[in-house]
């Protein structure tokens, strides 16, 4: 019985990690291809409407691409709208109701850490000052991981650290100014959330970044100033 239980546990872990990864990467590929097609055939889905209101984004559809030089040249994920289990099966998900890329406020994104594509598997490798790049149809946004004196856990000038570990019920990380209820935002922030530690959902790892630079997206090619961010971290290989 113990052997059977052990085998069952190994099969379950294999399903959670490998099989869910397979299906998640297939779903991510579809979301990425659909986003490319939308960018080629229509206006930027993230632009405000003529009356100034924000667009209604269909859940489960791609809205932007995410790149993190610290995690390698092949790290590229399409962010989808929504954070339900079905949405996160396709890739990192934008929390509805939080800011859009580049906006003043808190652009918040969730992602799985183990299995189901695990886009945030190595989020703990990020350091204070690391670039987090978001590509939309019309802009490239370069965020920088917060932290003070190269310490990612230290609070920046606005009282927000680069990384913290919180309870799964700590919804205050999604506020316009994370962990500061009632405070009006004055800067464009990005928040990334994932489970912690790996293989459990006991806690949440939160990584915060602030918008440093915006570049127009003229072509599908990555601008030289964005590519240089990779060389700064990975060298010229």
């Amino acid at each position: 019985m113990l052997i059977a239980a052990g085998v069952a546990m190994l099969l379950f872990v294999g399903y959670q990690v490998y099989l869910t990864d397979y299906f998640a990467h297939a779903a991510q590929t579809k979301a990425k291809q659909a986003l490319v097609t939308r960018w080629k055939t229509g206006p930027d889905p993230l632009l405000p409407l003529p009356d100034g209101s924000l667009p209604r984004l269909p859940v489960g559809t791609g809205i932007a691409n995410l790149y993190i030089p610290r995690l390698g040249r092949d790290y590229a994920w399409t962010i989808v709208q929504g954070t339900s289990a079905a949405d996160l099966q396709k890739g990192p998900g934008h929390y509805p109701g939080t800011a859009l890329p580049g906006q003043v406020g808190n652009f918040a994104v969730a992602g799985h850490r183990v299995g189901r594509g695990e886009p945030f598997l190595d989020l703990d490798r990020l350091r204070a000052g690391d670039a987090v790049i978001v590509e939309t149809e019309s802009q490239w946004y370069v965020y920088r991981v917060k932290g003070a004196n190269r310490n990612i856990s230290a609070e920046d000038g606005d009282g927000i650290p680069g990384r913290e570990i919180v309870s799964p019920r700590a919804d205050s990380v999604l506020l316009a100014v994370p962990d500061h209820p009632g405070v009006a935002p004055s800067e464009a922030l990005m928040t990334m959330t994932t489970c912690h530690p790996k293989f459990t959902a006991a806690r949440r790892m939160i990584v915060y970044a602030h918008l440093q630079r915006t570049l127009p997206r003229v072509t599908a090619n990555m601008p030289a100033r964005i590519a240089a961010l990779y060389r700064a971290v990975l060298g010229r290989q």
Side-chain angles (χ1 to χ4, degrees):
M1 291 179 63
L2 290 175
I3 292 174
V7 170
M9 181 62 71
L10 288 174
L11 290 174
F12 176 75
V13 171
Y15 168 79
Q16 285 291 98
V17 176
Y18 299 109
L19 193 57
T20 62
D21 274 356
Y22 172 81
F23 290 119
H25 283 295
Q28 166 70 189
T29 297
K30 290 182 180 179
K32 185 170 296 185
Q33 291 173 342
L35 182 61
V36 169
T37 300
R38 189 182 313 151
W39 284 354
K40 289 180 178 179
T41 58
D44 187 345
L46 300 184
L47 288 177
L49 300 175
D51 62 1
S53 63
L54 296 179
R56 183 182 295 276
L57 302 172
V59 295
T61 61
I63 64 170
N65 290 325
L66 174 67
Y67 309 91
I68 303 179
R70 174 71 61 187
L71 302 186
R73 297 182 186 277
D74 59 347
Y75 184 94
W77 287 87
T78 290
I79 300 171
V80 302
Q81 176 69 2
T83 57
S84 71
D87 301 327
L88 295 182
Q89 174 71 18
K90 300 176 182 179
H94 169 239
Y95 284 94
T98 67
L100 295 178
Q103 288 185 331
V104 171
N106 186 10
F107 170 53
V109 178
H112 284 298
R113 197 167 183 201
V114 175
R116 295 175 176 83
E118 52 198 34
F120 287 169
L121 174 66
D122 294 321
L123 208 62
D124 57 331
R125 291 177 50 197
L126 296 189
R127 306 174 186 176
D130 274 353
V132 179
I133 303 160
V134 178
E135 176 195 18
T136 69
E137 184 187 23
S138 58
Q139 304 289 338
W140 291 88
Y141 298 104
V142 179
Y143 293 84
R144 290 284 184 176
V145 175
K146 296 176 74 65
N149 300 320
R150 298 186 179 181
N151 179 2
I152 194 172
S153 298
E155 292 183 354
D156 216 333
D158 57 6
I160 302 172
R163 181 176 65 210
E164 64 176 343
I165 307 300
V166 302
S167 161
R169 295 178 295 279
D171 294 338
S172 61
V173 302
L174 303 180
L175 293 174
V177 181
D179 297 331
H180 290 69
V183 177
S186 60
E187 60 180 333
L189 300 172
M190 181 176 181
T191 295
M192 293 176 284
T193 74
T194 194
C195 293
H196 181 80
K198 294 176 181 178
F199 296 100
T200 79
R203 306 281 284 173
R204 292 289 184 272
M205 176 186 294
I206 316 296
V207 174
Y208 301 107
H210 67 278
L211 183 64
Q212 181 197 49
R213 176 185 298 171
T214 301
L215 298 173
R217 183 179 181 273
V218 180
T219 70
N221 295 324
M222 186 173 284
R225 281 188 286 180
I226 299 291
L229 299 174
Y230 284 84
R231 293 194 296 272
V233 174
L234 305 175
R236 297 185 177 275
Q237 69 273 15

